[in-house]
Amino acid sequence: MASAVCVRYSANYSNVHTSPTSAISATDFKSKAIFDEIEGRLKENGAEYVKKVNGIYCFKVKSKDKEGVWVIDVKNGNGSVKFDPQGKGDVTITMDDENLMQLMLGQLNPQQAFFQGKLKISGNMGLAMKLSQLQSQATKAKL
């Protein structure tokens, strides 16, 4: 799948704006490590997470001029994680790569991130509140 740059020109053509392109690979993002960890936990105890969470998360992650989309299905079977530019979920969480890392590692307060515009949520807000179920095990060990 080739990525393309969407270009929007202003009326006088002197100002060019580019939109983020879809990332070809999940490896373009630091937060891939977080999604890999979640995938591992779902492989071990997926049915447990599905009972607790019962929803599908769509993460739109921005990094420089790229956007990656991960779908975490914690609703069907034993759950799954996939990198899918066309992904959809019950709740969509949009963040930049660095802020998502900090959020999932417990270094960024979700409420503060939301009110500072670092975290955007659309869809099922109740499901968004269950995001802590998926946070890094390293964070939970500190608590």
Side-chain angles (χ1 to χ4, degrees), residues 2 7 16-17 22 24 31 34 37 50 57 64-65 69 76 81 83 91 110 112-113 123 126 137:
V7 178
V16 176
H17 303 280
S22 294
I24 294 172
S31 54
I34 297 292
E37 180 185 335
V50 168
Y57 292 89
K64 297 181 185 168
D65 63 342
V69 179
N76 301 298
V81 177
F83 184 77
V91 63
Q112 287 178 343
Q137 292 298 313

Side-chain angles (χ1 to χ4, degrees), residues 60-79:
K60 292 186 176 183
V61 184
K62 297 178 181 178
S63 176
K64 297 181 185 168
D65 63 342
K66 299 196 184 303
E67 181 178 273
V69 179
W70 277 268
V71 176
I72 302 177
D73 182 342
V74 203
K75 189 176 196 175
N76 301 298
N78 288 325

Side-chain angles (χ1 to χ4, degrees), residues 3 16 23 28 33 51 66 74 79 82 93 105 133 142-143:
S3 63
V16 176
D28 293 337
K51 284 180 192 174
K66 299 196 184 303
V74 203
K82 64 181 176 178
I93 297 170
L105 292 172
Q133 298 287 326
K142 291 180 190 175
L143 300 176

Side-chain angles (χ1 to χ4, degrees), residues 97-130:
D97 197 27
E98 189 62 41
N99 287 331
L100 179 60
M101 286 290 293
Q102 290 177 4
L103 177 79
M104 295 304 284
L105 292 172
Q107 300 167 352
L108 179 63
N109 179 297
Q111 269 187 321
Q112 287 178 343
F114 182 79
F115 287 114
Q116 292 172 353
K118 294 178 179 179
L119 165 65
K120 293 181 180 139
I121 300 170
S122 62
N124 184 336
M125 193 63 81
L127 183 58
M129 301 301 271
K130 294 180 181 181

